[in-house]
Amino acid sequence: MSKGRLIIANILGVLVVIAFLAGGAYFYYQNENFVKTDDAKVSADMVQIVAPASGMLKDWDIKEGKDVTKGKAIGTIEEEGQAVSIKSTMEGTIIKNGAGNDQLVQGGQVLAQAADLKHLYITANIKETDLKDIEKGDSVDINVDGDTDVTFEGKVEEIGYATKSVFSTLPESNTGNFTKVTQKVSVKISIMNPSAKVLPGMNAKIKISL
């Protein structure tokens, strides 16, 4: 190998080592200063609007996207000559309408579903091994799949009191072979000034500053 090629090879080798060290330092910095996950979704407080009695549905002018007020009548049910008011137990926006005017409904039937779109938040599932470093008030960078051009700001609001497996409906099987599985805990994160493109149920990625 000529002297010139040897020098070039050595330079390339040094650059590779520098890049490797820089990548390792960046990875270490990220792990020490941030907790990240893409196991997160946009959430909102929701309520089902149900029929308080059986009868004929009247005055039902509900459409998806319409705002409803807590305690204010949004329709009536006529039964045996009497009218029973239908009310929402929460202020919000109709995200699902499942009924129509002059429809015969049963008591307890779900007529619509409303969500508080003015106070959206993120529900992130954090590994138990990362939870020790997270505190209420930690700042969070949020990216939502429905609006990928924007990084939203947020803060850790609540940290769950149990792992998600505690609420699983599937019974644990005991086969004699134990495999340790890293558990996850739900963390509630506020989202500041979400755009109209951010909707409940959308996937999100979060980065918590420690």
Side-chain angles (χ1 to χ4, degrees):
M1 180 181 293
S2 66
K3 184 177 180 180
R5 290 185 176 179
L6 182 60
I7 293 174
I8 293 174
N10 288 336
I11 292 174
L12 290 175
V14 171
L15 291 176
V16 169
V17 172
I18 292 174
F20 179 78
L21 292 175
Y26 175 79
F27 182 77
Y28 175 81
Y29 175 81
Q30 292 290 318
N31 280 347
E32 287 296 310
N33 293 277
F34 303 101
V35 170
K36 303 178 183 178
T37 184
D38 57 3
D39 186 2
K41 289 186 180 297
V42 180
S43 301
D45 292 338
M46 298 187 184
V47 66
Q48 291 181 333
I49 299 173
V50 301
S54 300
M56 189 68 68
L57 183 60
K58 295 289 185 179
D59 305 318
W60 187 255
D61 186 27
I62 290 298
K63 296 181 176 62
E64 293 175 9
K66 181 175 181 177
D67 292 335
V68 292
T69 303
K70 179 180 179 180
K72 184 177 179 179
I74 56 177
T76 57
I77 293 177
E78 293 184 356
E79 58 164 349
E80 299 179 353
Q82 294 183 341
V84 181
S85 295
I86 305 168
K87 300 178 182 179
S88 173
T89 58
M90 182 186 77
E91 182 175 342
T93 302
I94 299 297
I95 59 172
K96 181 68 175 177
N97 176 32
N101 223 14
D102 296 324
Q103 176 182 334
L104 188 63
V105 298
Q106 300 295 319
Q109 178 179 332
V110 177
L111 305 177
Q113 188 161 340
D116 183 2
L117 301 184
K118 295 180 180 179
H119 301 92
L120 296 176
Y121 56 91
I122 302 295
T123 301
N125 298 312
I126 304 297
K127 293 180 180 178
E128 58 184 340
T129 49
D130 293 330
L131 204 64
K132 66 183 184 298
D133 299 319
I134 298 174
E135 297 179 351
K136 291 183 180 180
D138 286 345
S139 61
V140 186
D141 289 338
I142 304 165
N143 293 102
V144 179
D145 286 2
D147 195 354
T148 54
D149 295 333
V150 182
T151 297
F152 300 99
E153 296 180 357
K155 287 187 177 181
V156 174
E157 297 291 337
E158 296 178 11
I159 300 173
Y161 292 94
T163 66
K164 293 180 68 64
S165 63
V166 171
F167 307 103
S168 174
T169 58
L170 297 177
E172 295 183 3
S173 59
N174 186 5
T175 61
N177 297 320
F178 173 73
T179 301
K180 184 177 180 179
V181 177
T182 301
Q183 302 297 314
K184 293 185 176 182
V185 176
S186 290
V187 173
K188 181 179 179 180
I189 299 167
S190 63
I191 178 170
M192 296 177 60
N193 302 317
S195 68
K197 298 177 182 179
V198 177
L199 301 173
M202 284 185 170
N203 292 313
K205 298 178 182 179
I206 60 101
K207 183 171 74 173
I208 303 174
S209 298
L210 304 178

